[in-house]
Amino acid sequence: MADFGNDPSLWAAKGIGSAAGAAVSLVYMLPKGRREAGSRFFTGLICGLIFGDPTGLWIAAKLGITASLSGTEVMLTGSAAASLTAWWVLGAAARVAERYGRTKGGSQ
């Protein structure tokens, strides 16, 4: 497993990738209000920062391009993908749960 350490440029790449992924998730699935937008953005940001390392390594390994990417590129890609995926999945699940809750609550 690669050791990325605490290089400031890698942390910057993780932050930029996480913010970009969170912003794209907001555009892709529009939030209903400011509160939902804020929670989705910060959820994506945190997930990108936490899971950016393994996600970037996994993507690079699956594509077979680990030798041709720098650590910064791996972090940027992984953080953006983790951020986008995290809240896209959570947002879709929340909407399904909300729809199911209304249906179930209305039938009682």
Side-chain angles (χ1 to χ4, degrees):
M1 177 134 190
D3 181 26
F4 291 111
N6 286 324
D7 185 11
S9 66
L10 293 179
W11 277 101
K14 284 171 77 171
I16 291 168
S18 297
V24 169
S25 75
L26 291 175
V27 172
Y28 189 77
M29 186 183 295
L30 293 174
K32 291 183 180 178
R34 290 172 44 194
R35 184 176 181 175
E36 182 182 347
S39 67
R40 284 176 52 183
F41 183 80
F42 286 113
T43 299
L45 190 66
I46 290 169
C47 286
L49 290 172
I50 293 170
F51 299 111
D53 300 2
T55 304
L57 291 171
W58 181 79
I59 290 170
K62 284 293 183 186
L63 295 176
I65 56 174
T66 52
S68 62
L69 295 178
S70 69
T72 303
E73 291 168 326
V74 171
M75 286 303 127
L76 185 66
T77 304
S79 294
S83 178
L84 175 63
T85 304
W87 194 218
W88 189 86
V89 170
L90 290 173
R95 297 236 172 127
V96 168
E98 180 182 301
R99 190 174 304 146
Y100 175 73
R102 274 194 215 149
T103 304
K104 187 173 183 177
S107 64
Q108 291 179 346

